[in-house]
Amino acid sequence: MILTKEYTIKHFILSGILFIYSCAAIQTPPGGPKDIIPPELVHAVPTNGSIYFKGGRVELVFSEYLQENSVHNAIRIQPSLPEPLEIEYKGRTLWVDFPDSLAENQTYIISINRDLRDEHGVQLGQGLQIAYATGSEIDRGEINGKVYYDKPVALHLWMVNSESDLTQFYKTSPDYVTDADNEGNYSFYHLSSGSYRLMGVDRSSAGLSLDPERMIYGLSWKNIVQLDSNQVRDGINMRIAERPRIIKLIRGEWLDRNWGKLFFSDNISKYEKLLSVHVIKDSSILIPTTFLDMLDKEVLHFTLPDSLPGDSRLTITIPAISQGERTLIDSGRVTVRASSESDTSYLDIINPKNGFEIKPEEDRIVPLDIFFSRIMKDSINEDAIHLLSDTIAISFFPQWLSPLHLQIVPKENWIPRSKFSLVIMRDRISPFFGRSLQDSIKTIQISTTNFIGFGNLIGRIEKPYPQPLVAELVPFENEQSKQWTVVNSNSEFEISHVSEGKYSLLIFNDLDGIRNYSYGQVDPFRPAEWFQFLPDTITIRNNWDMEITDIRLEQLP
């Protein structure tokens, strides 16, 4: 095929047009830094804080284009109006249309929560409040503080106008709602003079009336927050914790002959000794022996004095456990059927497994816990279990802590950075029923690390301060491993045997004397206990005494 000059020119022009068009079609080049900057309010018309507001349209312009589906759930008017407002959105702008019939001498607040996001999904850094007054003055009262909680937080505020508001406030929707920022800081602006009650809630409950049994919340140590004209109240801090819900008996399971277990909805280790279990067979009431499953603390095992015949139908009941007016464990009833079939599986060592590591301590012998898969006879032959370092036998004290749990404590301390063998002889240990170990000799390899080091924290608090005080050291990595002590009459405290690491120091007013911080409750109403976290991180080093003197407490109750 022979190409003419005219064809070649046309082909070149067409190719160039297609190339330019394809380049122009590219909208956003790939790559580049991800947008992490929160949208901000640039300006409002009328301006924030305007007086003699007659209603009508308010225009709010933001720094970035907004995500359309985030707009309507993010905006509420405080105090609320009889009819919902009309809200329009386009690009960076929101329009909020107020009715013309507004209350006289009232400050209205457009509250925008952190559901509002820009087009890239970045949410507001903190809730916004834009205020307009229908009278000659705009309310200037403020309440500020910080909420300590590891999830997103919303703040609820109720104005106390009557006696019933003191006890029933939480059953109604809050008068004011705002979101805390990522660090837990919050502010309520443009509040009128009066008395208020304040609550922090998990943000999933924002704007809702409170169900104390189902929702997570925390109160201030201030019974009432009193505001005068133009007054600013700072440092109204709160703590929120996952509140234990009422624990329920979920189901029962029969395992073999005279052994069964009960499953609960939550950890029952604090209440194990308080639990009363009754087993009803026909018209007889049997009182079993119970013990907690130390590997699953939502499970309670029970054993009966005698084996039951197969296909027996059992009803198991527990009474409720309460603390004051609060129910901790609900009463429960479950039915199980005792099977005539016996478990034919081999006995197993659930823990330790090969490669188990012990972290020894210099001033205490750390025990080795052995957990079996089947209840065991508590008599044990001297040659049943051996602890060896190479081929050298190590003497130890054995102790049965439950029919499933044998603890051994070496007579001499563990050698750090060493290897050991735990040897169990099948013919020298005896489960109550069923097969023993599959292997005649069960060998489990374990090892030790270096000695774990500990330090001490010594502190002194300057007066004045509320009494009594508790000092609590909370590790950053595991808050459940906190340690505490009472501040003595000389304003001093010492927390000993503290593992190396980084901690925060909490000081709180232990009004109820239970040595655990009380977050407050709404029914019956009881404010939280006063507290203060020291701003600096506490670093504990091995074999060191960390001293903190002249601790000054602020924002006292």
Side-chain angles (χ1 to χ4, degrees), residues 274-332:
L274 301 175
L275 277 168
S276 176
V277 178
H278 291 169
V279 178
I280 304 172
K281 179 183 178 297
D282 299 328
S283 58
S284 301
I285 298 178
L286 308 175
I287 307 299
T289 300
T290 62
F291 60 92
L292 185 69
D293 190 318
M294 295 306 294
L295 297 179
D296 184 352
K297 295 180 180 179
E298 296 178 4
V299 173
L300 186 73
H301 294 263
F302 66 91
T303 59
L304 297 171
D306 300 304
S307 298
L308 295 179
D311 298 324
S312 298
R313 184 182 178 86
L314 307 175
T315 299
I316 304 167
T317 66
I318 61 166
I321 297 176
S322 300
Q323 183 180 64
E325 299 186 17
R326 181 166 170 262
T327 300
L328 303 174
I329 299 181
D330 204 358
S331 60

Side-chain angles (χ1 to χ4, degrees), residues 113 128 143 236 322 459 487 495:
N113 68 36
L128 296 175
I143 297 176
I236 310 298
S322 300
V487 178
I495 302 176

Side-chain angles (χ1 to χ4, degrees), residues 29-319:
K34 182 179 178 181
D35 178 17
I36 59 172
I37 300 174
E40 296 180 354
L41 180 64
V42 176
H43 68 265
V45 181
T47 59
N48 184 19
S50 295
I51 57 177
Y52 297 116
F53 180 64
K54 302 301 182 183
R57 171 160 287 195
V58 172
E59 180 180 275
L60 305 175
V61 180
F62 289 82
S63 59
E64 300 183 65
Y65 279 65
L66 301 176
Q67 193 177 86
E68 183 175 3
N69 60 9
S70 75
V71 171
H72 287 275
N73 290 334
I75 298 175
R76 60 165 52 92
I77 303 302
Q78 302 173 149
S80 60
L81 294 168
E83 299 295 331
L85 295 186
E86 292 186 9
I87 300 171
E88 296 181 23
Y89 149 83
K90 185 177 181 180
R92 297 188 300 128
T93 305
L94 295 176
W95 291 276
V96 181
D97 290 325
F98 280 82
D100 296 332
S101 55
L102 297 176
E104 297 181 359
N105 299 316
Q106 175 68 56
T107 296
Y108 288 96
I109 298 172
I110 302 175
S111 178
I112 305 178
N113 68 36
R114 298 186 69 193
D115 285 336
L116 190 69
R117 299 171 183 269
D118 66 19
E119 61 180 340
H120 303 292
V122 181
Q123 64 181 184
L124 286 178
Q126 186 174 355
L128 296 175
Q129 296 169 50
I130 303 100
Y132 299 100
T134 59
S136 61
E137 293 184 359
I138 196 159
D139 293 324
R140 300 287 182 184
E142 290 184 27
I143 297 176
N144 306 306
K146 181 172 182 177
V147 182
Y148 293 84
Y149 184 52
D150 57 3
K151 297 177 183 177
V153 169
L155 284 302
H156 288 180
L157 189 66
W158 290 265
M159 194 167 190
V160 178
N161 294 311
S162 65
E163 188 70 24
S164 64
D165 290 341
L166 292 172
T167 56
Q168 306 297 311
F169 68 98
Y170 67 92
K171 296 182 179 180
T172 63
S173 298
D175 297 315
Y176 300 89
V177 180
T178 192
D179 287 343
D181 65 16
N182 291 337
E183 284 71 48
N185 300 302
Y186 74 90
S187 295
F188 285 100
Y189 301 107
H190 306 293
L191 299 174
S192 61
S193 299
S195 302
Y196 294 87
R197 274 213 164 140
L198 180 66
M199 178 188 296
V201 298
D202 187 278
R203 195 166 173 274
S204 62
S205 304
L208 303 176
S209 58
L210 181 75
D211 182 344
E213 299 296 339
R214 300 182 59 186
M215 294 180 179
I216 297 167
Y217 69 96
L219 299 176
S220 165
W221 64 77
K222 294 282 189 183
N223 188 348
I224 293 290
V225 180
Q226 189 69 45
L227 275 183
D228 295 329
S229 179
N230 300 326
Q231 186 178 16
V232 176
R233 298 296 300 271
D234 288 321
I236 310 298
N237 301 336
M238 282 170 285
R239 299 179 68 197
I240 300 178
E242 295 281 353
R243 289 174 177 258
R245 297 173 181 172
I246 296 176
I247 300 173
K248 297 182 180 295
L249 175 61
I250 299 174
R251 65 184 177 90
E253 182 179 317
W254 187 255
L255 297 172
D256 212 327
R257 297 192 185 180
N258 67 332
W259 173 34
K261 56 183 178 180
L262 302 175
F263 296 82
F264 291 82
S265 61
D266 209 336
N267 186 329
I268 59 170
S269 58
K270 292 181 180 179
Y271 317 114
E272 176 206 356
K273 303 302 182 185
L274 301 175
L275 277 168
S276 176
V277 178
H278 291 169
V279 178
I280 304 172
K281 179 183 178 297
D282 299 328
S283 58
S284 301
I285 298 178
L286 308 175
I287 307 299
T289 300
T290 62
F291 60 92
L292 185 69
D293 190 318
M294 295 306 294
L295 297 179
D296 184 352
K297 295 180 180 179
E298 296 178 4
V299 173
L300 186 73
H301 294 263
F302 66 91
T303 59
L304 297 171
D306 300 304
S307 298
L308 295 179
D311 298 324
S312 298
R313 184 182 178 86
L314 307 175
T315 299
I316 304 167
T317 66
I318 61 166

Side-chain angles (χ1 to χ4, degrees), residues 272 289-294 301 370-372 374-378 399-407 432:
E272 176 206 356
T289 300
T290 62
F291 60 92
L292 185 69
D293 190 318
M294 295 306 294
H301 294 263
I370 305 172
F371 293 93
F372 296 90
R374 189 175 294 132
I375 59 174
M376 308 292 291
K377 296 179 181 178
D378 57 9
Q399 181 183 9
W400 286 99
L401 299 185
S402 83
L404 296 174
H405 182 189
L406 175 66
Q407 188 176 84
F432 266 105

